[in-house]
């Protein structure tokens, strides 16, 4: 919560707000009397009528035209008005000195000259403050921060502005009276408060005098020089000489340019003759010392509101009010918060810097323009549904004249008290602190418009509030002692609260009442345009307050609105019909009145007043019977004298009438003392008659007499109370209650007789049996009242007999109900007996409840006998039924057993539900199931838990069987098992290990994908690793025309392995790796058949005799044109611009199309670690089987290549002529012609290209075949030799041997021995591997036929057994020996080993791994 700023308005606490019900709202004075103990503590309260109470607005808007009051906000506040009066005096003083007052600024705010002057005077005056150096102390008291040298500034401003004025006030000689102003000072405009008030001063104001003087100067203005100017600047044009003006000090008329003329009295003075003398002619008006003392010494005049200069209609005033508020706050009127308006109002009334003027249509007589409430015989037509508002007590036209209001006995129509006043407000228009006339109540109703903000003080704080205001603004009360009765002064509630006055507030909205209590000061302002209506009323509790108010008025010499004594006497004359409570109150007030009157008359008689005369004061107007001393309205008596018959005084001021002897005075009286006592006796009798009635009623109610009274006497007392209009008290209510109960007993007796009479003739199909029955309560109540009521009932014996039979029935019922297990037949018999009694028996429900209990116990017994069907809902249903039964021991025991079973079942159900949420061990769940087996109930959660345990055991069994006996599980089985584990809420120990295996497999697959797959490859890892099973289909999609030409391809395709999905499914379903290898071998066979057929088909289309330009080739499916390139694998051709070709592709490098180049084709040494890591994981997956098959296929292919070299298959390649590859289109890159290849070599080359592994043998084989079948026409050769020489070389030429040896041999180790080096360069031959596994295990490298056989040592240390040997060169070549069954040597770089790894781990070659 933010702290309020300095001097920011803090709203007082809220007053009580009451919201009566319709019953409470029916009688306004009863409700006000009810809330009075609470509301009078705050002085004001707010009442919100029921929402449906919305009276129509009945004011004659067309005729309503009023002249509002003008209110200048900062003149309303008492302390601000004191400051303004002081500043006006200072301004007038300096104006008469010829200077303009400008208020200086200190610390960026206007200096409070009034406070400064007051503090200096309190400190002893200017000289004392300067002597004791107390200016800093004064600055701190004024709110300035110490330590800023503000005191020196205050001293300078005081000495310049206030000190000359104070000297003038004391009568001392003025110093040099000149007022120098700072350019930053704000010029002060005098408010001239007295000149604008409706209460005009007795003498003509200075402004009027000034105007009169100016009129008299008109005839001299052309002839008289401006004597305030230097004479040298004036040209004499008149015939009146300047000598007519003489200085009143020196009597000389010389030095005309130094002669001053007073603007007040026309006297002349030399500026050097003045005390003190003036150095220059002052600017503006100037007053001589005599006029200055006269003007500044005038007494202040009374303050009052002035009327506006125009009249308004309601519409015009509303437009003006809304325009003012919206312009002031710069927002729509309905959006301005009430808190903002409230703070701004109190800021404006407390500032002297801003002058805001508003208008207020107050005290508009409703009699002239019509009330806002509907009244009879008015112009406003009331609808039938609104007619009740005409007589409503809350209609302010009715409230003052209701019987409960004592103002109804005031004969005159007092506008504002008995007749409502209307109030039309605008934003900031206010009503000042005041109390109501005669300290009466007031009620204000806001018909419509924006809220009205109220402030109130309780009545007990009235004198405190007056004392505080007199203390804080004594100057106002000195000139106007009755200031608070003029309704023209307001003071900030925070100021009053700071001085100990309790203040409360409220916001009155449209449709709400605000009530002020006796002598409660209240004030407030309007939030905006609104229309309100107010009136006064007085209740009996006000009477002593009203009499004290008259005494207070007598002390203040204030007029009375009506005569209090006259009202009391008028009420006493109507004693017979008066409310008894009011009569008691009037009797007390009248006793006081008669005692005072008797004492005053005796005192007057002792003073010598002997003459007396009875006068009817009621016929005299109020102004003729007012005391000329205290202005009290005389009614009971008064004193007059023959010397001044028009004057009258009350008996308190007999000596103030005239100076005549007392014997000449005459006592005028309205009633004699005997008449007054007679009136008091009648009032007393009225009050005492009520006391007699009360005494009789109390005797009857307390049954004090020996003989009981009759019912008729009770009725007579009630009738007497109603006839004499006794007040509605609790005693009357008790009498009416007793009488009503007696009547009720009589009615019950009559009902009994009528019921018996009807029972005799009741037929089976007639009325219901209990239609005329009596209740037991009525019967017992009547019997109990026989001894207590003052009544004699004729039917008493019959009722007592019936009650006896009823008691017998109840006794039998009690005996039967007390039995633990009553027989249902006995219960039914007793219920049948009750049918013969014409009384409603209270035991009947109990008997029926016992029947329900017996049936419920039987149902519980039956349900407990079938535990398999006893579910929680059944138990709850039985418990709910049992709860509705009456309490009984058998029921409670059964309920306890059933509740215990339900509690245990619910606990186990909840526990089992919790066991199913977090994962628990299987042992925990088994233990829980064992504990719940003995509960005789149907528990679904327990059954679910049992099912979960069964599933968990089955899963664990399958998990154990999956790896039983060292089996290698299949990935699909692992995944399925892990997926099933997600639906089993049990802690499964093998699950984490299985998930780790699957994670390792996933990481292996990602590593393999990075090794094989191209960037953004459309193929999966399995598609790349396994043989192509759907190559025919793929080519059929892109080249349907070619497939149609070769229908034999689709005929040969297998129906079982036609896609990768089929292969993956077959691999997943295979039992072991051997069956997987068989499946992949079938796919490989199909791949080779389809691809060879496709190559032949594509090659046949490009023969010279064919029309190649009619074909659709390439990825664009257009005819061949321009430079083309041919795929070495599928033998299809492509446009160089449609595919990516290596520009620098050398002769001897094969080019594959995008459809055939599916992977990166990594080196074999990067592939082998993948297989080794997969074997460590020990999980079978299709990609692993495919990789294993790829490596085996690669090894077999390498052996086939070596075998082909050994058997001389390469040497059988026939040389083709240059036309053999001739075609009708031009190819950028030379391809191997198929016509010169045999089927074996073609299949060997195709399978080399199909391998997804990069091998040196593949490139060497391709270069050899290309060299042999399609040599370059230039001098370069694939090996760097001459092409013609190569073509002419025989089979055993050195060039031929060099190529073949490169395909057959492996490099030996580097050796310093030249013989070993020479032998290492010779090729070694290896034996061909058999397709059978038995032969593969026995295969080993053999010596080449063409080379001499070296020794074992030479072979062991000179040859690398890796088929893919890279033939490393250098000074140091690292070797490693296989730790398997072959014991062969390998280059470490050829098998992908580092030196550190070779030393730490065993190495097993791929041949031994495959075995």
């Amino acid at each position: 919560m933010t702290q309020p700023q300095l001097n920011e308005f803090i709203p007082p606490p809220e007053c009580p707000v009451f919201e009566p019900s319709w019953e409470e709202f029916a009688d306004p004075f009863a409700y006000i009397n009810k809330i009075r103990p609470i509301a009078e503590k705050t002085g004001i309260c707010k009442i919100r009528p029921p929402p449906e109470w919305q009276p129509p607005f009945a004011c004659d808007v067309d005729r309503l035209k009023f002249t509002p009051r003008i209110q200048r906000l900062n003149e309303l506040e008492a302390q601000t008005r004191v400051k303004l009066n002081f500043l006006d005096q200072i301004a007038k003083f300096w104006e008469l000195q010829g200077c303009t007052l400008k208020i200086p600024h200190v610390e960026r705010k206007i200096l409070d000259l009034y406070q400064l002057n007051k503090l200096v005077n309190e400190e002893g005056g200017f000289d004392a403050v300067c002597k004791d150096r107390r200016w800093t102390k004064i600055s701190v008291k004024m709110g300035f921060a110490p330590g800023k040298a503000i005191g020196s500034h205050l001293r300078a401003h005081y000495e310049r502005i206030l000190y000359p004025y104070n000297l003038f006030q004391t009568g001392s000689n003025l110093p040099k009276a000149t007022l120098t102003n700072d350019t930053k000072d704000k010029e002060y405009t005098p408010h001239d408060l007295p000149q604008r008030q409706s209460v005009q001063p007795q003498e003509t104001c200075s402004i009027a005098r000034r105007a009169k003087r100016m009129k008299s100067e008109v005839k001299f203005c052309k002839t008289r020089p401006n004597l305030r100017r230097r004479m040298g600047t004036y040209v004499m044009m008149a015939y009146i000489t300047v000598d007519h003006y003489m200085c009143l000090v020196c009597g000389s008329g010389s030095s005309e340019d130094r002669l001053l003329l007073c603007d007040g009295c026309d006297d002349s003075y030399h500026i050097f003759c003045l005390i003190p003398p003036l150095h220059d002619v002052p600017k503006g008006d100037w007053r001589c010392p005599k006029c200055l003392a006269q003007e500044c010494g005038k007494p202040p005049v009374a303050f009052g509101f002035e009327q506006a200069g125009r009249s308004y209609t309601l519409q015009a005033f509303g437009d003006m009010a809304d325009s003012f508020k919206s312009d002031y706050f710069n927002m729509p009127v309905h959006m301005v918060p009430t808190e903002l308006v409230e703070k701004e109002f109190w800021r404006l009334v407390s500032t002297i810097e801003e002058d805001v003027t508003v208008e207020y249509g107050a005290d508009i007589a409703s009699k002239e323009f019509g009330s806002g409430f509907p009244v009879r015989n008015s112009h406003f037509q009331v609808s039938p549904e609104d007619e009740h508002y005409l007589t409503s007590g809350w209609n302010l036209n009715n409230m003052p004249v209701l019987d409960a209001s004592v103002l109804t006995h005031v004969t005159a129509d007092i506008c504002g008290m008995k007749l409502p006043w209307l109030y039309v407000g605008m934003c900031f228009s206010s009503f000042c602190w005041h109390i109501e006339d005669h300290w009466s109540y007031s009620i204000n109703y806001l018909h419509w418009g924006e809220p009205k903000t109220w402030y109130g003080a309780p009545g007990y704080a009235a004198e405190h509030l007056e004392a505080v205001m007199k203390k804080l603004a004594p100057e106002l009360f000195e000139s106007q002692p009755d200031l608070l009765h003029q309704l023209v002064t307001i003071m900030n509630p925070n100021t009053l609260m700071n001085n100990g006055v309790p203040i409360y507030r409220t916001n009155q909205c449209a449709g709400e009442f605000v009530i002020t209590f006796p002598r409660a000061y209240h004030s407030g302002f309007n939030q905006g345009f609104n229309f309100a209506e107010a009136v006064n009323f007085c209740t009996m509790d006000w009477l002593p307050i009203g009499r004290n108010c008259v005494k207070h008025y007598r002390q203040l010499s204030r007029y009375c609105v009506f005569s209090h004594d006259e009202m009391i006497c008028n009420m006493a004359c109507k004693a017979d019909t008066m409310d008894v409570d009011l009569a008691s109150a009037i009797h007390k007030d009248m006793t006081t009145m008669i005692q005072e009157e008797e004492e005053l008359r005796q005192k007057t008689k002792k003073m010598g007043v002997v003459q007396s005369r009875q006068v009817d004061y009621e016929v005299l107007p109020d102004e003729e019977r007012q005391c000329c001393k205290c202005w009290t309205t005389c009614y009971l008596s008064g004193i007059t004298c023959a010397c001044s018959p028009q004057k009258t005084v009350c008996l308190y001021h007999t000596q103030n009438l005239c100076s005549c002897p007392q014997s000449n005075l005459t006592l005028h009286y309205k009633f004699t003392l005997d008449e007054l006592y007679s009136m008091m006796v009648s009032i007393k009798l009225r009050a005492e008659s009520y006391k007699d009635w009360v005494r009789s009623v109390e005797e009857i109610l307390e049954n004090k007499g020996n003989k009981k009274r009759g019912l008729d006497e009770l009725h007579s007392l009630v009738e007497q109370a109603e006839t004499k209009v006794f007040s509605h008290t609790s005693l009357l209510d008790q009498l009416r209650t007793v009488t009503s109960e007696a009547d009720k007993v009589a009615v019950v007796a009559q009902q009994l007789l009528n019921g018996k009479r009807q029972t005799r003739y009741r037929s089976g199909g007639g009325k219901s049996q209990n239609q005329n029955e009596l209740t037991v309560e009525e019967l017992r109540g009547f019997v109990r009242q026989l001894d207590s009521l003052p009544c004699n009932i004729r039917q008493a014996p019959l009722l007592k007999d019936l009650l006896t039979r009823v008691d017998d029935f109840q006794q039998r019922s009690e005996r039967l109900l007390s039995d633990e297990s009553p027989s249902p037949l006995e219960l039914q018999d007793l219920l049948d007996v009750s049918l013969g009694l014409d009384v409603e028996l209270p035991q009947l429900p109990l008997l029926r409840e016992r029947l329900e209990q017996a049936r419920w116990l039987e149902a519980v017994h039956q349900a407990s006998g079938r535990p398999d069907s006893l579910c929680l809902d059944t138990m709850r249903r039985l418990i709910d039924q049992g709860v509705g039964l009456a309490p009984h021991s058998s029921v409670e025991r059964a309920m306890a057993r059933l509740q215990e079973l339900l509690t245990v079942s619910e606990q186990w159900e909840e526990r089992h539900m919790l066991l199913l949420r977090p994962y628990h061990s299987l042992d925990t769940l088994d233990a829980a199931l064992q504990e719940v087996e003995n509960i005789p109930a149907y528990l679904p959660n327990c059954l679910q838990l049992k099912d979960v345990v069964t599933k968990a055991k089955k899963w664990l069994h399958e998990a154990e069987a999956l790896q039983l006996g060292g089996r290698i599980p299949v990935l699909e089985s692992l995944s399925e098992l892990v997926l099933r584990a997600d639906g089993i809420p049990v802690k499964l120990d093998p699950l984490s290990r299985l998930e780790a295996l699957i994670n390792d497999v996933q990481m292996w697959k990602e590593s393999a994908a990075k090794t094989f797959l191209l960037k953004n490859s459309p193929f999966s890892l399995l598609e790349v690793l396994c043989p192509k099973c759907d190559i025919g289909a793929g080519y059929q999609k892109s080249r349907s025309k070619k497939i149609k030409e070769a229908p034999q391809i689709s005929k040969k395709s297998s129906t079982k392995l036609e896609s990768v999905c089929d292969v993956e499914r077959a691999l997943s379903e295979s039992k072991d790796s051997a069956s997987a290898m068989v499946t992949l071998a079938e796919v490989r066979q199909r791949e080779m058949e389809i691809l060879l057929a496709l190559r032949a088909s594509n090659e046949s289309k490009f023969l010279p005799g064919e029309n190649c330009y009619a074909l659709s080739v390439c990825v664009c499916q257009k005819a061949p044109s321009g430079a083309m390139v041919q795929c070495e694998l599928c033998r299809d051709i492509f446009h160089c611009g449609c595919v990516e070709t290596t520009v620098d592709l050398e002769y001897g490098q094969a080019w594959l199309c995008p459809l055939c180049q599916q992977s990166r084709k990594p080196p074999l040494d990067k592939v082998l670690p993948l297989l080794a890591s997969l074997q460590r994981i020990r999980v079978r997956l299709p990609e692993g089987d495919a990789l294993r098959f790829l490596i085996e296929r690669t090894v077999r292919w390498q052996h086939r290549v070596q075998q082909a070299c050994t058997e001389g298959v390469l040497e059988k390649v026939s040389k083709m002529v240059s036309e053999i590859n001739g075609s009708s289109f031009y190819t950028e890159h030379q391809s191997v012609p198929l016509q010169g290849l045999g089927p074996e070599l073609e299949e060997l080359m195709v399978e080399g290209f199909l391998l997804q592994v990069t091998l040196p043998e593949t490139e060497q084989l391709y270069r050899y075949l290309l060299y042999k079948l399609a040599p370059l026409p230039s001098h370069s050769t694939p090996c760097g030799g001459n092409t013609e020489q190569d073509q002419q070389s025989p089979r055993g030429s050195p060039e031929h041997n060099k190529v073949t040896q490169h395909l057959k041999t492996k490099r030996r180790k580097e050796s310093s021995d030249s013989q070993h080096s020479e032998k290492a360069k010779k090729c070694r031959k290896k034996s061909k591997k058999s397709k059978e596994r038995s032969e593969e295990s026995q295969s080993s490298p053999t010596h080449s036929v063409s080379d001499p056989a070296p020794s074992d040592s030479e072979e062991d240390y000179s040859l690398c057994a890796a088929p893919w040997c890279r033939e490393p060169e250098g000074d140091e070549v690292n070797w490693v020996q296989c730790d398997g069954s072959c014991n062969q040597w390998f280059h470490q770089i050829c098998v992908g080993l580092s030196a550190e790894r070779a030393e730490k781990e065993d190495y097993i070659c791929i041949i031994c791994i495959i075995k």
Side-chain angles (χ1 to χ4, degrees), residues 118 466-474 477 499:
K118 185 176 180 181
E466 294 171 357
V468 170
M469 293 190 68
K470 291 178 181 179
K471 172 186 175 183
L472 297 179
F477 288 88
N499 285 272

Side-chain angles (χ1 to χ4, degrees), residues 1300-1315:
T1300 56
Q1301 288 174 8
H1302 192 70
L1303 292 172
K1304 296 188 296 180
T1305 63
K1306 306 299 175 183
R1307 288 189 112 176
R1308 294 183 174 183
K1309 292 189 296 180
E1310 294 289 340
S1311 176
S1312 59
D1313 191 352
S1314 60
Q1315 294 180 358

Side-chain angles (χ1 to χ4, degrees), residues 733-757:
D733 292 338
Q734 293 178 16
L735 178 62
R736 287 174 176 172
T737 302
V738 169
T739 306
S740 176
E741 289 179 356
D743 291 336
K744 185 178 179 180
V745 170
V747 171
V748 170
Q750 190 63 38
Q751 286 179 351
L752 174 64
L753 295 177
N754 295 338
K756 282 182 174 294
R757 201 172 292 118

Side-chain angles (χ1 to χ4, degrees), residues 1377-1384 1386 1402-1405 1407-1409 1411:
Q1377 187 179 19
C1378 176
D1379 293 321
S1381 59
C1382 67
N1383 293 325
Q1384 296 186 88
F1386 299 86
D1402 292 339
Y1403 169 71
I1404 301 175
C1405 67
I1407 302 298
C1408 296
I1409 291 175
K1411 291 178 181 180

Side-chain angles (χ1 to χ4, degrees), residues 674-711:
D674 294 338
E675 291 174 340
L676 290 176
Y677 278 112
S678 175
M679 295 170 61
M680 188 175 65
V681 169
S682 63
I683 290 292
K684 183 178 180 182
L685 290 176
R686 172 65 175 171
E688 289 181 350
S689 66
Y690 175 71
K691 294 179 181 179
D692 295 338
W693 177 87
V694 169
R695 190 180 305 108
S696 300
V697 173
E698 288 178 349
E699 289 180 357
I700 293 175
L701 294 179
E702 296 176 3
N703 198 8
K704 295 180 179 179
N706 296 327
K707 186 178 180 180
K708 295 182 180 180
R709 308 288 182 93
L711 182 59

Side-chain angles (χ1 to χ4, degrees), residues 763-835:
S763 61
K767 299 180 181 180
S768 61
Q769 186 174 358
N770 61 352
Q771 183 172 353
N772 295 307
E773 290 179 353
L774 299 173
T775 64
V776 177
E777 289 76 11
E778 289 176 336
L779 183 59
R780 291 188 182 279
F782 175 75
V783 173
R784 286 194 302 266
Q785 291 176 10
L786 290 178
D787 297 331
S788 59
L789 292 178
C791 308
N792 292 322
I793 305 300
R794 298 183 292 107
Q795 300 84 355
L798 296 175
L799 293 177
K800 289 182 179 180
D801 179 66
L802 179 61
L803 182 61
T804 302
R805 290 188 287 118
V806 169
D807 290 338
D808 180 66
F809 171 82
Q810 290 179 341
Q811 291 176 2
R812 293 179 58 191
S813 300
E814 290 177 0
R815 287 195 301 268
L816 191 59
L817 293 175
S818 61
D819 191 359
E820 285 291 331
S821 57
S823 173
L825 295 177
E826 293 181 359
L827 291 172
Q828 188 64 44
D829 291 341
L830 192 58
L831 290 174
D832 293 340
V833 171
S834 66
L835 298 176

Side-chain angles (χ1 to χ4, degrees), residues 1099-1118:
E1099 191 69 24
S1100 65
K1101 292 188 296 185
F1102 306 136
L1103 295 177
E1106 298 290 337
N1107 184 10
C1108 297
Y1109 294 99
L1111 300 175
S1112 296
V1113 297
C1114 189
V1115 293
C1116 62
Q1117 291 295 300
K1118 294 182 180 179

